[in-house]
Structures are given as C-alpha cells and as structure tokens.
Amino acid sequence: MARWQNGTGLLHSADAGTGTELGTGLPLEIATSYRARARGLLGRDGIEGALLLSPASGVHTFRMRFAIDVAYLSRDLTVLAVRTMPPGRLGRPRLRARHVVEAEAGAMGKWGVRAGLRLTVEPDGPAG
C-alpha cells in the first residue's frame, strides 16, 4: 500500500464481490501528518467531499460545528463500520481500523458507503 502525504485526491468505491465501480470519484482531502489529523474538520462549517485521516483508528467531534459520518477502514481500505457522530462526542477506537474517512452527516448513506465496501484513494499529490 502506498504511503500518502497531506493533500487532495479522489475517493472511489467498488463492490467487494464484483470489483465493479459504484460511482465517480469523490473529492478527498488527505491528512497524514499529526498536525493535519489533529486539525481535521475543526473550525469548519462543512466539507465538500470527504477527509481521510491516516493513520487513525478513532475520532472525536469536540469543538465541531456540525455532525459527521465516520467510516472506519481496515489496512486494505475495506469499510469496517460507518457511524454518525453529533458534535461533542468521543468515538471509541476500532481495533482493526487503520484509516478513517469523515464527511458531513448523511453523505456516506448518499454515496452508498457501508460495511464491507472496498474503497480506493487516488491522490493528486502533496499539498503546497
């Protein structure tokens, strides 16, 4: 698996059984440094697309301005679980999770992201 850097990219999903692409790439922000992961979505009023935190096994929503959907991903980017978290909550870490994708509440359902789905990340390159 490639090591990502802070930056942007596209998030794709495919049916685990058939490998069939389920939709077009979604705009993705990639946060891999400690500082970028700690900042996450804090101070924002929303996000276009999603935010990938890597490595990460859990998140919190303290000081967040909006509810988020959280997808916990395994090492191979298979979705382990999807949860919606309101502001001011501490999510319990997932044992097998190595990455987390965050989006505005309701977005994961709209995109069809669910447990068992395999995601792929297509990075654009490091942030400037």
Side-chain angles (χ1 to χ4, degrees), residues 7-11 26-30 48-52 101 121-122:
T8 59
L10 295 174
L11 183 67
L26 299 164
L28 181 70
E29 295 178 35
I30 302 169
E48 185 73 29
L51 172 68
L52 170 71
V101 174
V121 173
E122 181 184 336

Side-chain angles (χ1 to χ4, degrees), residues 46-58:
I47 181 172
E48 185 73 29
L51 172 68
L52 170 71
L53 305 172
S54 179
S57 61

Side-chain angles (χ1 to χ4, degrees), residues 1 16 20 23 31-32 37 42 49 55 58 60 62 69 79 82 84 88 102 112:
M1 169 156 304
T20 305
T32 59
R37 291 191 323 264
L42 295 176
H60 69 83
F62 298 121
D69 282 348
V79 178
V82 178
T84 300
E102 298 179 342

